[in-house]
Amino acid sequence: LSDLAASIERASRLVSQLLTSTRISHQPLSRQALDMKQAIIAMMADLAPIAAQKQIALSFDGADGLRVLADETLLRLLLGNVIENAVKYTPQNGEVRVVLTADDVQIRCAVTDSGPGIPESERAHVFQRFYRVGTPEAQGTGLGLAIVAEVAARLSGGIALKTPANGVGLLVEITLPRVYPA
């Protein structure tokens, strides 16, 4: 019964992600000026119980008043998926750090974790649908980062995977166009 329940959960997650992927490309955007710091803090608050259970240190560093012109649902999906992946793949007693910076043109959100990372040779492939790093038993459906890349593109932004300065884990860098308050 537990195997059946796990299979049903995986199938439900796959169907949900397939529907999300389809909606992203066809749903009209409702763009509004959104505060990135508030959006990130809300996502981190949602994931704090999971992080606490794994004793993962969550930290945030970023300035106030950095705004993007984005669809709120898509921005939440983008940030939520990236931060959730960082928490999910970071081992017990690890660290997830989110840093928000900007220049005159764009906002950069860097999510760094102390997990296993993704080998450089596989980084370009993880944005393809159904591609998973590791063995067939690996977690996930292989759709999360494909969805994230599609959302970033719809919001006129980008996403890149890098090695953190300390050489441990993964750094996911999201860039979005900056807007200034009227």
Side-chain angles (χ1 to χ4, degrees), residues 2-157:
S2 66
D3 287 347
L4 180 60
S7 293
I8 291 169
E9 176 62 31
R10 281 191 303 274
S12 294
R13 188 173 49 238
L14 176 62
V15 169
S16 176
Q17 285 191 317
L18 284 169
L19 289 171
T20 298
S21 180
T22 302
R23 273 190 230 119
I24 289 168
S25 57
H26 299 305
Q27 179 178 335
L29 295 179
S30 174
R31 293 184 188 256
Q32 56 185 314
L34 300 170
D35 185 286
M36 282 290 289
K37 182 176 181 178
Q38 288 177 1
I40 291 166
I41 289 172
M43 284 292 107
M44 291 178 79
D46 289 348
L47 294 166
I50 298 166
Q53 190 175 24
K54 291 176 71 178
Q55 298 177 335
I56 293 172
L58 282 177
S59 65
F60 172 78
D61 183 27
D64 292 322
L66 299 180
R67 300 165 64 87
V68 294
L69 190 61
D71 181 283
E72 185 173 11
T73 301
L74 291 183
L75 183 62
R76 287 183 56 80
L77 179 63
L78 174 67
L79 295 172
N81 191 300
V82 170
I83 298 169
E84 181 179 0
N85 276 353
V87 171
K88 181 165 65 171
Y89 291 105
T90 296
Q92 187 91 9
N93 299 312
E95 180 182 5
V96 173
R97 181 170 168 76
V98 182
V99 177
L100 184 65
T101 58
D103 59 26
D104 291 340
V105 178
Q106 68 182 6
I107 292 175
R108 177 181 172 262
C109 176
V111 180
T112 306
D113 67 56
S114 59
I118 297 174
E120 274 191 59
S121 61
E122 297 196 56
R123 290 181 186 169
H125 303 293
V126 297
F127 295 115
Q128 299 168 6
R129 288 181 184 200
F130 302 110
Y131 186 87
R132 293 186 306 179
V133 175
T135 65
E137 298 83 31
Q139 295 179 0
T141 61
L143 285 171
L145 287 175
I147 290 170
V148 164
E150 193 172 344
V151 169
R154 285 235 38 220
L155 297 178
S156 304

